[in-house]
Amino acid sequence: MSEYGTPTGNTGDPLIPEAVAENLESGARQRSVGLGFILAFSLAYMSAWMAYLTPPFVAMAVKVRQIDPTGSAGSLAFVLGIGGLFAIVAYPIFGKLSDRTSSRFGMRRPWIAGGWLVGTVGLLLCGMGQSIHVVLLGWIIAQLGLSALLATLVALLPDHVPMRQRGLVSGFLGMGIPVGAIGGTFIAQSVSGTIPLMFLLPAVVSFVCIAILFSILEDRRLSPEQARRLPRYGLREFLDSFWVNPRRHPDFGWAWLSRFLVFMGVDTLVTYQAFYLINHLGLDPARVARFVFFGTLVHYGALVLVSVAGGWLSDRLGRRKVFVMSAAALYGIGLIFIALAPSFTVFLIGMAVTGLAEGIYSAVDLALVADVLPHPDNVAKDLGVFQITSSLPQSLAPAVAPAFLAIPLFGGGQPGGNYTALFTIAALLAFLGALAVRPIRGVR
């Protein structure tokens, strides 16, 4: 029995697929990681997100406006939208290639270092470009490189961290996006007079943090003999980069579906927050950036407050599902608060609730999926497939939202659309995301 009460190594157990049982057993055998590794890993992960998020949050809008002041909104959507499509493809491809790497430097180091280098070249091109198409090319290159960096960094979690510590470490990693976003925004505004530095300084910070991680990282290695036993990398293996069979690996499939549904709600809130404040609450458009800042500060403050504690408690109790289900449901409750908010104060309450929920969900859900990865030899690829649940809703949520804003019932006819219906449906998706965790059998 594992420390979670789950049978391990018993491939005849119908409740646990063979690959999951193998992964549980190897995860239980890993030695504990120390505070030095946890901090170095977390800083590298947060700084990678800082390099990734600073352009879409701040720098890209400033750059596009400099080049195309009259059509900046359309040009920004063009650059970020096309670049985002490359990120969806890049995560699983580079994860797959990392799993097959037999370099003397290890499996992950070459892709972490190479991803940073390519990403930085792309960011430099964005900062120096004098046309929208050059900036787009730079952002595509940056997306490919930084996606490779993030896809292989996150694979260090199942590579090195035992199951009994994954909740704690995932809690630190769960702070990567908010810390990266806030830190990148701070750096960008401090050098706002020099646009190339807005793109490059976060990458420099990332270089320093990755160098610290490399100084203590004992990278996983794939021997040449093991590499020769792998299937030849052809079209079938390429297409396999984007797929994990949910019938053969139902636990992974349910975890994927849960995160996709929850993040549809998350990205609906992020995308339409400003329009909601103007059209639903009637706030001054000239001051909406300030109101969005307050809402974001409350949300991320609550997230950071509980992320590590939630992951640690999940480890102590040896349970994942109850935390993930409760957090997803709590996110839905926060969206209900926002959907029905009569004032900005109630909106802030809803943002605090969603922040608490997202902090627990992001921390423990990453630990849960690390525990049910289909096979230990494909962890980076499988985590790349899982990352699609975070990137796909960024494109899909804005595409389907206009249909919900046009609903004539329960708040229809509002200026700018029916935000009550939009956020109520987003809440429903979060509740469904909570229910999708229930069929998972490989962890408690």
Side-chain angles (χ1 to χ4, degrees), residues 177 263 266 299-300 303 327 331 353-363:
I177 291 178
F263 270 75
V266 170
H299 178 89
Y300 281 150
L303 187 155
Y331 200 96
V353 173
T354 57
L356 291 171
E358 189 176 344
I360 297 171
Y361 185 91
S362 296

Side-chain angles (χ1 to χ4, degrees), residues 101-107 109 219-223 226:
T101 298
S102 56
S103 161
R104 64 188 180 91
F105 299 106
M107 297 174 66
R109 281 175 183 265
D219 198 3
R220 181 180 170 188
R221 294 181 183 274
L222 185 69
S223 70
Q226 291 172 315

Side-chain angles (χ1 to χ4, degrees), residues 14 47 124 157 179 196 202 217 235-236 245 290 302 310 312 316 384 429:
S47 67
L124 177 62
L157 177 67
V179 171
L217 178 65
L235 179 60
R236 181 173 180 177
N245 191 324
R290 181 182 181 187
W312 173 82
R316 294 286 294 178
L429 293 175

Side-chain angles (χ1 to χ4, degrees), residues 269 273 276-277 281 291 294-303 330-358:
L269 176 58
Q273 179 181 178
Y276 161 90
L277 292 173
L281 293 185
F291 291 121
F294 282 130
T296 302
L297 190 64
V298 168
H299 178 89
Y300 281 150
L303 187 155
L330 185 62
Y331 200 96
I333 292 172
L335 287 172
I336 292 294
F337 267 97
I338 293 171
L340 303 177
S343 66
F344 183 67
T345 300
V346 178
F347 165 77
L348 289 180
I349 293 173
M351 291 296 286
V353 173
T354 57
L356 291 171
E358 189 176 344

Side-chain angles (χ1 to χ4, degrees), residues 72-424:
S72 56
S75 295
L76 181 63
F78 172 68
V79 172
L80 295 181
I82 293 180
L85 295 177
F86 281 84
I88 293 174
V89 173
Y91 271 114
I93 287 179
F94 291 119
K96 178 85 169 181
L97 292 174
S98 173
D99 288 331
R100 302 172 63 91
T101 298
S102 56
S103 161
R104 64 188 180 91
F105 299 106
M107 297 174 66
R108 313 302 181 198
R109 281 175 183 265
W111 294 98
I112 292 172
W116 177 87
L117 180 61
V118 172
T120 301
V121 170
L123 292 174
L124 177 62
L125 194 57
C126 288
M128 301 297 293
Q130 296 302 311
S131 72
I132 292 298
H133 289 94
V134 172
V135 172
L136 172 62
L137 176 62
W139 186 232
I140 290 172
I141 294 171
Q143 286 278 27
L144 293 174
L146 296 175
S147 295
L149 168 61
L150 286 165
T152 44
L153 265 178
V154 77
L156 299 180
L157 177 67
D159 279 357
H160 295 276
V161 181
M163 290 171 58
R164 60 187 174 275
Q165 288 185 291
R166 285 178 184 170
L168 173 65
V169 178
S170 295
F172 279 97
L173 299 183
M175 295 190 294
I177 291 178
V179 171
I182 294 170
T185 302
F186 174 78
I187 290 174
Q189 62 87 27
S190 67
V191 293
S192 57
T194 310
I195 293 177
L197 288 181
M198 297 174 69
F199 286 92
L200 287 178
L201 278 185
V204 173
V205 174
S206 181
F207 173 82
V208 173
C209 294
I210 290 171
I212 294 172
L213 174 64
F214 275 16
S215 70
I216 64 172
L217 178 65
E218 297 178 10
D219 198 3
R220 181 180 170 188
R221 294 181 183 274
L222 185 69
S223 70
E225 292 77 14
Q226 291 172 315
R228 281 193 292 268
R229 290 199 297 267
L230 293 173
R232 186 179 65 85
Y233 192 82
L235 179 60
R236 181 173 180 177
E237 284 293 295
F238 172 78
L239 295 176
D240 183 60
S241 301
F242 305 96
W243 175 251
V244 174
N245 191 324
R247 296 187 64 182
R248 292 182 59 191
H249 309 291
D251 282 356
F252 184 89
W254 285 115
W256 194 101
L257 178 62
S258 170
R259 191 176 182 92
F260 172 77
L261 290 170
V262 171
F263 270 75
M264 281 292 291
V266 170
D267 284 301
T268 298
L269 176 58
V270 170
T271 303
Y272 286 92
Q273 179 181 178
F275 296 139
Y276 161 90
L277 292 173
I278 295 170
N279 296 320
H280 183 80
L281 293 185
L283 301 181
D284 183 1
R287 302 175 62 201
V288 73
R290 181 182 181 187
F291 291 121
V292 169
F293 171 76
F294 282 130
T296 302
L297 190 64
V298 168
H299 178 89
Y300 281 150
L303 187 155
V304 170
L305 186 66
V306 300
S307 183
V308 174
W312 173 82
L313 188 59
S314 170
D315 286 339
R316 294 286 294 178
L317 298 178
R319 293 181 177 273
R320 308 289 192 216
K321 290 170 59 175
V322 65
F323 285 89
V324 177
M325 291 178 67
S326 300
L330 185 62
Y331 200 96
I333 292 172
L335 287 172
I336 292 294
F337 267 97
I338 293 171
L340 303 177
S343 66
F344 183 67
T345 300
V346 178
F347 165 77
L348 289 180
I349 293 173
M351 291 296 286
V353 173
T354 57
L356 291 171
E358 189 176 344
I360 297 171
Y361 185 91
S362 296
V364 184
D365 186 56
L366 184 57
L368 182 150
V369 78
D371 290 350
V372 300
L373 288 172
H375 198 282
D377 292 335
N378 288 316
V379 295
K381 186 273 285 188
D382 294 337
L383 284 171
V385 173
F386 189 71
Q387 288 284 6
I388 294 174
T389 62
S390 302
S391 51
L392 182 59
Q394 295 176 20
S395 300
L396 191 57
V400 301
F404 302 140
L405 288 169
I407 293 176
L409 304 175
F410 308 111
Q414 299 173 2
N418 189 346
Y419 287 92
T420 301
L422 177 65
F423 287 119
T424 299

